[in-house]
């Protein structure tokens, strides 16, 4: 096992504290909240005095928690750790469009003692103690200084009122389409009234632009089948961590989507070559949602 080899790879470099003398292997496997990551040792220790730096420079491999397969284990949010790891690679923060987990990512940055990252994620506070992410400063005051007529002043006031009534979050939302797919199957025996057995399928699929899908569904979206897809690319491989189709419909309605089309297809087959045996009916339905 690679991790067993890592523990045997203790350097004999006279007790120095340089990275080349680390008892850890060059490639490190991590299990973060059930998500597996593979990265370089130098990436994990890129920020001095951070939690990971202390773990992998001040401790030996035998001092750290492991999972059943020998990977180093961290009981943190496995989904958000991808952004922590991205930051450690080049000390630069790039988040997808409509990222709904900013406050939670800031909490993770605080936990991992990445002070600069936490500072970048913290909401900016204006002079009147309002959050700049929730209130967008208009150019009304600047325009008022350059406008002397009463007509101009009334126009600026109207602009200010209309801007206050309009939610910035609604204005910034992108239009687009999201398609929800659902597959269900059931069997019908010889006695239809008593032998009908329904079998629910666990997958509710999502098709569309990745940035829209992440905006709507957040951490209920499972990206494991198509990870690291850029925000402006399209995917048909995401699925939801829901048991009921209506949960997806509710989320889409909350953020302004409405259904514009749906289609369905079905098949029927026997469980064996005997026509007297049970029939299996399978249906697949797609629901198309749009936000203008």
């Amino acid at each position: 096992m690679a991790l067993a080899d890592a523990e045997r790879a203790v350097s004999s470099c006279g007790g120095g504290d340089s990275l080349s003398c680390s008892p850890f292997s060059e490639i490190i496997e991590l299990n973060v909240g059930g998500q597996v990551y593979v990265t370089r040792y130098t990436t994990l220790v890129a920020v001095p005095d951070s939690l990971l730096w202390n773990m992998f420079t001040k401790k030996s491999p035998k001092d750290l928690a492991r999972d059943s397969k020998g990977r180093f284990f961290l009981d943190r949010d496995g989904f958000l750790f991808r952004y922590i790891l991205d930051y450690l690679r080049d000390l630069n923060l790039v988040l997808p469009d409509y990222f709904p987990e900013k406050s939670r990512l800031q909490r993770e940055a605080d936990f991992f003692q990445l002070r600069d990252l936490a500072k970048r994620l913290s909401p900016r506070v204006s002079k009147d103690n309002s959050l700049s992410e929730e209130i967008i400063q208009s150019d009304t005051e600047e325009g008022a200084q350059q406008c002397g007529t009463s007509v101009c002043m009334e126009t600026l006031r109207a602009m200010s009122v209309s801007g206050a009534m309009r939610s910035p979050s609604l204005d910034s939302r992108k239009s687009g389409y999201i398609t929800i797919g659902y597959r269900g199957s059931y069997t019908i025996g010889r006695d239809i009234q008593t032998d009908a057995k329904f079998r629910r399928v666990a997958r509710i699929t999502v098709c569309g632009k990745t940035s829209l899908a992440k905006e709507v569904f957040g951490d209920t979206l499972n990206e494991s089948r198509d990870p690291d897809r850029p925000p402006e690319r399209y995917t048909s491989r995401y699925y939801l961590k829901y048991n009921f189709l209506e949960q997806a419909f509710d989320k889409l309605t909350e953020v302004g989507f409405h259904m514009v089309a749906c289609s369905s297809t079905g098949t029927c087959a026997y469980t064996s070559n005997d026509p007297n045996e049970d029939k299996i009916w399978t249906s697949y339905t797609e629901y198309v949602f749009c936000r203008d």
Side-chain angles (χ1 to χ4, degrees):
M1 182 184 295
L3 288 172
D5 294 339
E7 290 197 21
R8 292 195 295 266
V10 179
S11 175
S12 58
C13 59
D17 60 352
S18 67
L19 296 183
S20 61
C21 301
S22 170
F24 295 92
S25 65
E26 180 185 2
I27 304 301
I28 303 292
E29 291 185 70
L30 301 172
N31 177 347
V32 184
Q35 297 289 328
V36 176
Y37 292 90
V38 181
T39 188
R40 290 183 177 277
Y41 172 81
T42 51
T43 299
L44 293 177
V45 298
V47 178
D49 297 322
S50 66
L51 178 70
L52 292 171
W53 185 88
N54 279 297
M55 286 177 59
F56 288 93
T57 62
K58 302 297 184 182
K59 297 182 180 181
S60 65
K62 65 180 181 180
D63 296 327
L64 301 180
R66 305 284 192 105
D67 67 6
S68 59
K69 294 187 177 180
R71 295 176 291 228
F72 297 108
F73 179 76
L74 291 165
D75 189 15
R76 301 302 298 181
D77 191 311
F79 171 77
L80 293 177
F81 187 75
R82 64 187 297 186
Y83 301 107
I84 299 293
L85 201 56
D86 280 346
Y87 173 77
L88 291 174
R89 289 186 178 114
D90 56 11
L91 302 184
N92 188 28
L93 176 64
V94 179
L95 296 177
D97 293 341
Y98 304 107
F99 184 68
E101 307 290 340
K102 207 168 188 178
S103 60
R104 292 179 61 186
L105 181 56
Q106 182 188 356
R107 183 181 65 183
E108 295 300 300
D110 286 331
F111 174 82
F112 286 105
Q113 300 171 17
L114 299 170
R115 297 177 182 84
D116 183 65
L117 177 58
K119 184 177 180 181
R120 297 188 198 185
L121 291 167
S122 62
R124 299 177 183 176
V125 180
S126 63
K127 293 181 180 179
D128 59 352
N129 292 326
S130 60
L131 296 180
S132 62
E133 290 183 345
E134 298 178 354
I135 300 177
I136 298 179
Q137 298 294 332
S138 68
D139 296 330
T140 305
E141 295 181 359
E142 181 180 353
Q145 296 175 358
Q146 300 175 358
C147 177
T149 66
S150 59
V151 175
C152 186
M153 292 297 293
E154 287 298 323
T155 302
L156 289 172
R157 290 194 190 98
M159 290 172 58
S160 177
V161 171
S162 63
M165 294 176 61
R166 189 172 60 247
S167 171
S169 62
L170 293 178
D171 288 344
S172 62
R173 298 185 310 186
K174 290 184 178 181
S175 61
Y177 292 84
I178 288 179
T179 300
I180 301 297
Y182 182 80
R183 188 185 305 275
S185 63
Y186 57 93
T187 60
I188 296 181
R190 291 181 294 275
D191 186 349
I192 296 178
Q193 299 299 321
T194 61
D195 290 349
K197 298 178 182 178
F198 291 86
R199 181 175 60 189
R200 185 185 60 191
V201 174
R203 292 288 187 264
I204 300 175
T205 61
V206 178
C207 306
K209 186 177 291 187
T210 58
S211 60
L212 281 179
K214 291 178 181 179
E215 175 202 346
V216 174
F217 297 110
D219 58 3
T220 62
L221 189 73
N222 194 318
E223 307 173 54
S224 61
R225 296 172 63 191
D226 197 8
D228 301 323
R229 180 164 286 269
E232 298 308 309
R233 297 290 296 275
Y234 290 83
T235 181
S236 61
R237 298 178 62 82
Y238 288 173
Y239 62 91
L240 297 176
K241 304 173 186 176
Y242 288 147
N243 293 324
F244 300 99
L245 192 61
E246 290 76 12
Q247 291 173 284
F249 292 172
D250 287 342
K251 292 291 287 186
L252 286 159
T253 302
E254 288 173 5
V255 293
F257 281 82
H258 59 278
M259 190 186 300
V260 294
C262 69
S263 64
S264 182
T265 183
T267 60
C268 176
Y270 292 100
T271 57
S272 69
N273 294 328
D274 186 352
N276 294 319
E277 292 298 321
D278 294 346
K279 296 178 181 179
I280 297 179
W281 290 83
T282 301
S283 65
Y284 178 73
T285 306
E286 286 188 340
Y287 305 87
V288 181
F289 288 80
C290 174
R291 184 170 67 190
D292 300 325

